[in-house]
């Protein structure tokens, strides 16, 4: 994030102070209180942040939509999500959107009761499956694609969720409309150079496009995942 924010800062005349929360609950607490001027958050965090403080999504990756996936070991005999009933499943965190909230809500909708284990990161989910700590796990297409080939070869996709607009870079409404526009445009301009695209790929926004709450994130409110949000837990 540092080189991206430095480049955006040069184009906009802003000076960013990068703050990385030690845990997901700490991050959630910060944006629910309206502390950051800008934040990069998962799609359902955008819903939470909009409801709590009115955060406004500016840009997100237009290259690929976000897709939740359920993975099992490459040699697993499982062929249906119904076979996950009563099984231990790994998730990165309770409130990770596509990798956890969405998958848990879809399983519950189908009456499938699983034993969730939260292992703090997508990387840990994939490795927990491989070593046999869990039968299956929740991830997303974007993070699986960034894993080494030897990891990807050890797992297979059992189930894919519907797709959604990915993580937005969002602004607190106290940031002026003029500055919000400048920052969004700076992201788009950065993608016009090879070095800029390389930096943006590092933060998983290789092709930034403008987004808005009404069209891109409001539909998430209707998914019924709110009851699966767990506050104050890693």
């Amino acid at each position: 994030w540092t080189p991206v924010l430095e480049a955006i800062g040069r184009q906009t005349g802003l000076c960013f102070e990068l703050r990385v929360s030690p845990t997901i609950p700490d991050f959630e607490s910060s944006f629910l209180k309206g502390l950051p001027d800008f934040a990069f958050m998962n799609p359902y965090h955008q819903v939470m942040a909009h409801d709590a403080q009115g955060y406004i999504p500016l840009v997100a990756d237009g290259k690929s939509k976000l897709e939740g996936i359920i993975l099992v070991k490459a040699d697993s005999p499982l062929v249906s999500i119904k076979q996950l009933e009563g099984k231990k499943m790994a998730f990165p965190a309770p409130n990770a959107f596509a990798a956890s909230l969405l998958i848990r809500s879809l399983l519950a909708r189908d009456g499938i009761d699983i034993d969730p284990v939260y292992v703090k990161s997508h990387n840990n989910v994939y490795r927990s499956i491989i070593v046999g700590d869990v039968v299956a796990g929740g991830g997303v297409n974007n993070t699986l694609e960034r894993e080494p080939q030897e990891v990807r070869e050890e797992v297979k996709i059992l189930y894919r969720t519907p797709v959604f607009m990915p993580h937005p870079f969002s602004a607190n409404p106290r940031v002026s409309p003029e500055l919000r526009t400048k920052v969004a445009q700076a992201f788009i301009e950065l993608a016009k150079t090879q070095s800029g695209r390389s930096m943006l790929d590092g933060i998983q926004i290789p092709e930034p496009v403008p987004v808005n709450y009404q069209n891109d994130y409001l539909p998430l409110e209707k998914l019924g995942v709110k009851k699966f949000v767990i506050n104050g837990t890693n």
Side-chain angles (χ1 to χ4, degrees):
W1 273 96
T2 297
V4 171
L5 294 179
E6 288 176 346
I8 299 296
R10 285 192 295 271
Q11 292 187 53
T12 59
L14 297 175
C15 181
F16 292 95
E17 179 185 351
L18 179 61
R19 294 185 179 182
V20 180
S21 300
T23 67
I24 292 174
D26 286 330
F27 174 62
E28 291 170 349
S29 176
S30 71
F31 70 68
L32 290 175
K33 293 175 182 175
L35 299 181
D37 295 312
F38 296 94
F40 182 61
M41 56 185 68
N42 79 43
Y44 197 73
H45 278 160
Q46 174 61 69
V47 174
M48 296 167 64
H50 181 271
D51 289 348
Q53 297 290 342
Y55 274 86
I56 301 162
L58 303 180
V59 296
D61 179 41
K63 183 177 180 180
S64 59
K65 294 292 183 72
L66 185 65
E67 178 184 55
I69 50 179
I70 295 177
L71 300 115
V72 294
K73 287 189 71 170
D75 60 357
S76 171
L78 299 186
V79 295
S80 166
I81 58 172
K82 292 182 178 180
Q83 295 173 287
L84 296 174
E85 173 68 35
K87 298 294 195 299
K88 186 178 290 187
M89 277 190 68
F91 299 96
N95 299 344
F97 170 59
S100 182
L101 283 173
L102 182 59
I103 288 173
R104 285 156 51 220
S105 68
L106 291 173
L107 290 174
R109 181 198 65 186
D110 291 346
I112 301 168
D113 186 25
I114 51 94
D115 179 15
V117 179
Y118 302 108
V119 295
K120 300 187 183 297
S121 73
H122 290 242
N123 307 69
N124 289 344
V125 168
Y126 305 141
R127 285 151 183 80
S128 295
I129 297 168
I130 292 170
V131 301
D133 288 342
V134 294
V135 170
V140 297
N141 53 332
N142 294 341
T143 61
L144 180 62
E145 289 167 3
R146 292 169 182 266
E147 287 288 343
Q149 182 177 349
E150 57 267 26
V151 170
R152 287 184 276 116
E153 289 177 347
E154 290 288 331
V155 296
K156 66 180 179 182
I157 297 174
L158 181 68
Y159 177 83
R160 298 176 183 270
T161 73
V163 298
F164 296 90
M165 185 62 75
H167 297 44
F169 185 80
S170 300
N172 191 301
R174 66 171 169 262
V175 177
S176 72
E178 179 186 12
L179 282 181
R180 295 199 300 263
T181 299
K182 282 185 177 181
V183 169
Q185 188 58 39
F187 270 94
I188 293 168
E189 290 296 320
L190 192 59
K192 293 180 179 179
T193 67
Q194 182 59 46
S195 61
R197 287 192 295 273
S198 178
M199 286 190 286
L200 289 167
D201 186 62
I203 61 167
Q204 298 187 37
I205 315 181
E207 295 180 11
V209 296
V211 291
N212 66 72
Y213 190 79
Q214 186 72 24
N215 293 332
D216 299 308
Y217 299 102
L218 179 61
L220 275 61
E221 294 185 13
K222 302 175 183 178
L223 292 176
V225 302
K226 185 174 182 179
K227 63 183 177 181
F228 293 93
V229 172
I230 300 175
N231 295 319
T233 304
N234 283 317

